Amino acid sequence: MLAQGDGIQQDATRGLAVISAAAAGAPTLYVTLGDLLVDGKAGPADPNAAIRAYEAASLAGNIDGDMRLAELYLDGKSIPADHAKAFMYFEKGMDGGSESAAVQIARMLIVGDGAQQDVARGSQILDRLRPKASSRTLVAVGDLFAGKTVGVPLDLTRAVAYYQLAAKNGDPLSLLALGDALALVIPSAPDVDAIVGAYEKAAAGGNVDALLRLGDLFSEGRVLPPNLDKAAGYYAAAAQAGSTSAAISLAGLKVEAGHIQAGLADLNALGASGSAGAYVMIGDLLAQGRGPPEGAVAAYLHAVQMGRTDAMIKLGDLYRYGGIVKRRAKTAISYYQTAVNAGSAYGLYALGSGYLEGDLGTGGTTAHGLELLEQAESQGISDAPVAIAQSYEFGYGVKSSIPTATKLLETSAAAGNTAAISHLISIYRDGIVNH
């Protein structure tokens, strides 16, 4: 309480001294001390002192100390990243019985991150977890194989098996993950009953996101025939449970159903109450011609002022391609760069593809475009490797080479990139390359 000023005048120095003295007899207090030091909860942040505190906890056999050290060395935000040290501390945590540490060790072995790649050992660790792991751990393992982890090959059948095991006790988050994975397993012939059933059970367990998924299923018409009345019902239930995203989608359905003024009024009210997403939806609808198109720019600008990087990119797209507004490459570049400066990986993709394809005038070279796309790919943008491959397929800024394009797509597809898989199928289908 002294360290944080909780219920008493703050005295960080005295508070930390009290914790340090008491920690010798209670190693968990070393973890408490580290937590206070690492993020500045008790005065200026001191990551190095936090490391020393966590190390003391680790030496005393405290698993939480091991896990804090592993996570710090893995993310590299407070201290320089050191994945070999992260692996070492996760391994200590695993040996001490931590399921989450075991999942991390398996991932690092499968990918070869911080340790020599050993797919067989990583898989063995996961197999040993299956009979006794918690639902949360089983979902984390499913996520490894569901295309959510860079470097781990996509294996939706395996992901579904882990999600099904996790969902046996009716855990809503597990059921949500199961529904998501089932919707991806065979997009052309999905098991609709199983998908809807998983989401409905999750919704019955109080998961609002499941209601949103059901609304999306019935409104988008990708997995099953569209039914806007059902979609509206699910969105309304989610909105009643406090979901602003559902309220936005419900208002959007009104516009699509022809009730344009009522839907736009609802969206403007949501925007005025602080929802930047509502302004993005207005911009999207108006840009599609569902209302005065000139209002799209103003709506996106509202969202930009509220910090939405996707709105920055959408404005960039408007000025890049023209239509509603006159094409202006410099304005497009400015919006894309603003998104990049705000930390948007997709902004890197938009800017890079624009330079590569020549849509942005002389603002940047094709070589710089490729560099930006590679950065976007490293940050997990699935469209980026496809754009890089297309540069070789069509000769954007590089010498045309179908074999190079195919190899890039095959590498990305093997890592679970569904966008690369789809493009690769089209190349083989159209006879661009023999396989």
Side-chain angles (χ1 to χ4, degrees):
M1 295 174 74
L2 280 167
Q4 293 181 276
D6 181 10
I8 192 171
Q9 185 174 352
Q10 186 174 23
D11 187 339
T13 303
R14 184 181 166 199
L16 293 173
V18 169
I19 295 171
S20 296
T28 55
L29 288 177
Y30 282 123
V31 178
T32 302
L33 180 61
D35 291 347
L36 290 169
L37 290 165
V38 76
D39 56 11
K41 291 179 180 176
D46 190 343
N48 291 324
I51 289 289
R52 291 193 293 273
Y54 293 141
E55 285 175 342
S58 175
L59 286 170
N62 184 280
I63 292 176
D64 288 335
D66 297 324
M67 294 299 289
R68 296 291 202 283
L69 287 164
E71 288 157 3
L72 281 175
Y73 283 118
L74 186 68
D75 68 33
K77 292 177 181 176
S78 301
I79 58 172
D82 187 332
H83 288 199
K85 281 189 175 180
F87 184 90
M88 178 184 73
Y89 283 112
F90 276 132
E91 196 162 36
K92 284 189 69 178
M94 179 179 71
D95 292 343
S98 168
E99 291 182 356
S100 59
V103 174
Q104 282 286 11
I105 287 293
R107 178 195 67 79
M108 296 175 87
L109 286 168
I110 291 170
V111 176
D113 177 16
Q116 185 174 352
Q117 189 175 35
D118 190 338
V119 177
R121 185 185 166 208
S123 296
Q124 287 169 2
I125 289 170
L126 296 177
D127 289 340
R128 286 200 299 270
L129 276 175
R130 280 186 70 158
K132 57 183 180 180
S134 66
S135 292
R136 180 179 177 182
T137 297
L138 291 167
V139 168
V141 177
D143 288 348
L144 285 180
F145 299 105
K148 300 179 183 180
T149 305
V150 176
V152 177
L154 181 69
D155 188 342
L156 286 172
T157 301
R158 198 170 180 184
V160 166
Y162 277 103
Y163 291 144
Q164 286 174 328
L165 193 59
K168 276 190 173 180
N169 66 357
D171 174 59
L173 285 174
S174 304
L175 287 161
L176 181 71
L178 176 60
D180 289 346
L182 287 169
L184 292 172
V185 172
I186 310 176
S188 59
D191 187 340
V192 173
D193 290 340
I195 297 166
V196 173
Y199 286 147
E200 286 187 337
K201 287 177 183 176
N207 189 288
V208 178
D209 286 336
L211 291 169
L212 272 170
R213 298 286 204 285
L214 287 162
D216 292 344
L217 277 179
F218 285 101
S219 67
E220 294 171 358
R222 288 186 298 105
V223 175
L224 65 163
N227 185 324
L228 298 187
D229 288 337
K230 274 194 173 183
Y234 285 121
Y235 286 144
Q240 191 172 4
S243 170
T244 301
S245 296
I248 291 170
S249 295
L250 186 60
L253 279 187
K254 283 186 182 179
V255 175
E256 291 184 18
H259 307 295
I260 295 174
Q261 289 188 346
L264 291 177
D266 288 349
L267 287 168
N268 274 303
L270 287 164
S273 67
S275 172
Y279 287 125
V280 173
M281 173 69 85
I282 293 171
D284 290 347
L285 291 167
L286 297 182
Q288 295 165 11
R290 300 178 185 275
E294 61 276 7
V297 173
Y300 287 142
L301 283 171
H302 274 301
V304 166
Q305 290 166 2
M306 298 168 79
R308 285 288 291 252
T309 56
D310 57 340
M312 299 170 194
I313 293 168
K314 288 172 185 287
L315 280 168
D317 289 345
L318 288 182
Y319 286 103
R320 174 178 172 180
Y321 299 112
I324 294 174
V325 295
K326 186 177 179 180
R327 288 184 64 181
R328 290 208 294 263
K330 287 185 178 179
T331 304
I333 291 170
S334 175
Y335 281 120
Y336 289 153
Q337 190 61 57
T338 301
V340 170
N341 293 345
S344 169
Y346 204 85
L348 290 167
Y349 166 77
L351 197 55
S353 65
Y355 287 149
L356 200 63
E357 295 169 17
D359 295 329
L360 299 178
T362 58
T365 64
T366 52
H368 185 45
L370 276 172
E371 181 185 336
L372 291 169
L373 287 173
E374 286 167 356
Q375 290 179 41
E377 180 182 11
S378 71
Q379 294 183 40
I381 300 300
S382 61
D383 289 333
V386 176
I388 294 170
Q390 284 178 320
S391 71
Y392 286 95
E393 183 181 348
F394 300 111
Y396 293 145
V398 293
K399 185 178 179 180
S400 179
S401 172
I402 297 298
T404 301
T406 305
K407 185 176 180 181
L408 288 168
L409 289 169
E410 287 177 340
T411 300
S412 189
N417 186 327
T418 53
I421 293 169
S422 296
H423 195 69
L424 201 55
I425 290 171
S426 69
I427 286 180
Y428 295 143
R429 181 196 62 216
D430 298 338
I432 296 173
V433 64
N434 293 322
H435 185 64

